[in-house]
Amino acid sequence: MQTKKIFTATDPKGIQKAAEILSAGGVVGIPTETVYGLAANALDEAAVKKIFTAKGRPQDNPLIVHIADMDMLPPLITDFPEKAQKAAKAFWPGPFTMILPKSDVIPDAVSAGLSTVAIRMPAHPVANAMIAACRLPIAAPSANVSGRPSPTNAEDVYADLNGKIDAIVYGGESAFGVESTVVTFTCDPPRLLRPGAVTLEQLTALLGEVTVDNAVLAQPEAGKPVASPGMKYKHYAPQAKVVMVSGTKEQYIAYVNAQKASGVYALCFDEDIPGLEVPYVTLGPTAAEATHANRLFSALRELDKLGCTTCYAVTPARTGVSLAVYNRLIRAAAFQVVEL
Ligand code: TXA
Ligand code: MG
């Protein structure tokens, strides 16, 4: 299959072209403010199945359905609890996904057979204009080959999926760089399933108590059911082996220097650079947590391009946006952490 490149910045008909491919049952890589998504008509089971095939995604991992405005929501769900309404007012459009009881229009392929559906209203102008143009709810997981780091620009989508999808819409770098915050409202208090740019602190300030699913910080136990199926898979991993190193800045630098060998890299903060004797990729200044989120996935891809075989990564904080960076990085490391 020839993957068409659509440049919305220079092509006034670009959004319409992408919307037409979606309406006709095709799959399109699209920009969003979190990461690039692989989009298809959520109501068309055959189109949705193409997403799973292109990504090599396990069938039991459900997809997020994207909407452009509140009028698109009611047909998709059977209940909209008060706290979910409050969260929608505060965080939509934006990097925020709600799990709600699904209606019958959602095909099993989207919900992976669950009785719930994940819904998000993105804030990216191109994504929203495209959804509005076809007026279809759009299923879209991150547009990477399953298990690889999520793409934060169109070239990363091209690298993973060229020849496997109908088109890629070029829309610049994703602003946040990590996927949306996922919260389930099928229980009370609501429960955080995946941390993102909408932080746990923001959620509790708005909603009161919000519990944190075990899978956010720890490795799900083999064989046990998990609330968010995506959290049980090895994820976000570059080809290089990633090891998280937990300790003070001085301990981190000393440990990494002791591992010095061909192919060994550090994934560090700017302040670590002067002490390091191995090559590195930086996530930015230690205090710049939004920058860490923004750079994480491109940094993991960059390490592969540099020929890194083992990468020793700093350990992000578990607060604010850093909780999302920690959650993705520990999965990239397959939960391997060196405690100093
Ligand atoms: O920012 C994002 O959310 C991006 C952009 C493209 O919107 N999308 C994204 O999709 O990250 P994906 O498929 O890579 O991650 C969706 C996560 C998975 O962990 C999945 O298991 C979970 O949401 N999920 C989806 N439906 C669910 C449901 N009904 N119940 C629990 N978890 C669900
Ligand atoms: Mg993903």
Side-chain angles (χ1 to χ4, degrees), residues 55 57 142 144 150 179 235-236:
K55 280 181 63 93
R57 183 179 175 103
S142 48
N144 49 289
S150 298
E179 305 87 342
H235 239 109
Y236 314 117

Side-chain angles (χ1 to χ4, degrees), residues 34 37 57 61-62 64 66 116 118 120 141-142 179-180 194 227-228 230:
T34 56
R57 183 179 175 103
N61 195 3
I64 296 174
H66 298 70
T116 55
R120 175 160 108 83
S142 48
E179 305 87 342
S180 62
R194 182 175 73 180
S228 186

Side-chain angles (χ1 to χ4, degrees), residues 22-23 25-30 32 36-52 55 57 61-68 72 76 105-112 117-120 122 127 130-131 134-143:
L22 291 171
S23 301
V27 282
V28 182
I30 63 163
T32 89
Y36 272 66
L38 187 55
N41 175 3
L43 305 181
D44 178 343
E45 184 137 31
V48 169
K49 285 187 172 157
K50 292 182 192 167
I51 294 179
F52 284 86
K55 280 181 63 93
R57 183 179 175 103
N61 195 3
L63 306 178
I64 296 174
V65 176
H66 298 70
I67 57 176
M72 293 181 76
L76 308 177
V105 303
I106 302 290
D108 276 348
V110 169
S111 60
V117 61
I119 316 259
R120 175 160 108 83
M130 235 169 46
I131 301 169
C134 59
R135 289 236 47 95
L136 291 169
I138 294 296
S142 48

Side-chain angles (χ1 to χ4, degrees), residues 146-169:
S146 212
R148 298 257 301 139
S150 298
T152 53
N153 58 61
E155 281 308 324
D156 289 347
V157 180
Y158 188 84
D160 272 20
L161 297 174
N162 178 35
K164 296 182 183 167
I165 61 177
D166 295 290
I168 299 172
V169 176

